[in-house]
Amino acid sequence: MSGLGYARAPSLAGAVEALGRHAGAEIVAGGTDLLQRLEEEVLPPELLIDITGLDGLRAIEVGESEVRLGALVRLNEVIDYEALRAAFPAIVEALAVTASPQVRNLATVGGNPLQKTRCLYFRDRTTPCNRREPGTGCSALQGRNRINAILGGSEHCIATHPSDFAVAMTALDAKAVLASTRGERSLAFADLHRLPGDTPQHEYNLRRGEIIKGYIIPRAVLARQSHYLKVRDRGEFEWAISSAAVALELDMAGTIVRARVAVGGVATKPWRLPQVEFALRGRPAEPAVFASAASLATEGAVAHGDNAYKLRLLPRTVARALNELRERL
Ligand SMILES: Cc1cc2nc3c(=O)[nH]c(=O)nc-3n(C[C@H](O)[C@H](O)[C@H](O)COP(=O)(O)OP(=O)(O)OC[C@H]3O[C@@H](n4cnc5c(N)ncnc54)[C@H](O)[C@@H]3O)c2cc1C
């Protein structure tokens, strides 16, 4: 950690200016992932830009048609906010099964989707990893890949994206608001993360010097009728090996009018399943329909040995999430 610089951002303008000026700079928010990386010396930044004093990024604004979340809102603040629980159950449920109460008290919604993968080889800097050190190879392809991705991988990287919150935000058509010295722009949450392709080191569609200022989440019947299911190796304090955020809107006869399905723990980025959504639309909301639509979840999936079990687990996760949601409607 020698030579690490630290600067407390006096304002949002000051933060984006410093971030754009220093190639080796990184924002620190809750610090729960970044400080672990510093300890492990995995891609340590040269300069930390601390944005925790920017109170303007702490707001939760509940409007008629949308909710705005500032980047510095803590995970537990979302969970405890009654109106959000009612408007977006999938998001609140995803956060409630994230990490531990202690981590959720510190971690922010801005930092959560940008946490780094839990791939064993990315975190172990004694092994080759294209994401950490481009051109060195992907150790997971032939190595211990039980937790790795079956969707969205490439011959250069099969690291899974780790955030639960990001899966729910992808399902519910959220947008990220990004700020830089050039002003602000919004980006569909589903486009925030990149596929690894042959440049797995480039994980996000953030431009140089851009930070997440917050999010806009549309309020809709669909979002109110949503659910998040997480499957993990132990009941607490563990990332997903498979997860699903689902949302359904039904007509009076119980026919599915709209559906949203995104999955986590199985893909290199939060993964929307349009083919499953299409198969649900116009069909009765019942277990056989859910099972048949969920069987399409692994279209295009590729297993790599230890993670082949996810080919069976993923459709079951999606079908179970839909059944659990149906019970509530
Ligand atoms: C033991 C443990 C278990 C965990 N289990 C889970 C789990 O089950 N599910 C899950 O989803 N997560 C889990 N996590 C991860 C945890 O949720 C994340 O570490 C946390 O949400 C990151 O938020 P933060 O504010 O602490 O980010 P930081 O650590 O401060 O930052 C993370 C990254 O985001 C960048 N960043 C932060 N804010 C911004 C911003 N506004 N704009 C641009 N860049 C920004 C930083 O530069 C850094 O690269 C776990 C963590 C631990 C330690």
Side-chain angles (χ1 to χ4, degrees), residues 11 13 17 47 49 54 95 109 115 130 143 162 182 223 234 259 262 270 313-314 316 319:
S11 61
E17 195 276 323
L47 172 66
I49 302 170
L54 305 185
L95 290 173
V109 293
Q115 62 177 289
N130 286 323
R182 298 175 296 278
R234 55 180 176 186
L313 181 60
L314 175 60
R316 289 180 195 172

Side-chain angles (χ1 to χ4, degrees), residues 53-98:
L54 305 185
D55 290 338
L57 303 186
R58 296 195 180 282
I60 299 177
E61 295 167 44
V62 180
E64 290 267 304
S65 59
E66 62 190 30
V67 165
R68 286 175 175 258
L69 285 185
L72 285 179
V73 172
R74 312 268 183 202
L75 308 192
N76 267 343
E77 289 172 325
V78 178
I79 296 170
D80 292 342
Y81 204 105
E82 206 53 53
L84 299 185
R85 193 179 284 267
F88 312 110
I91 292 175
V92 172
E93 290 166 8
L95 290 173
V97 292
T98 290

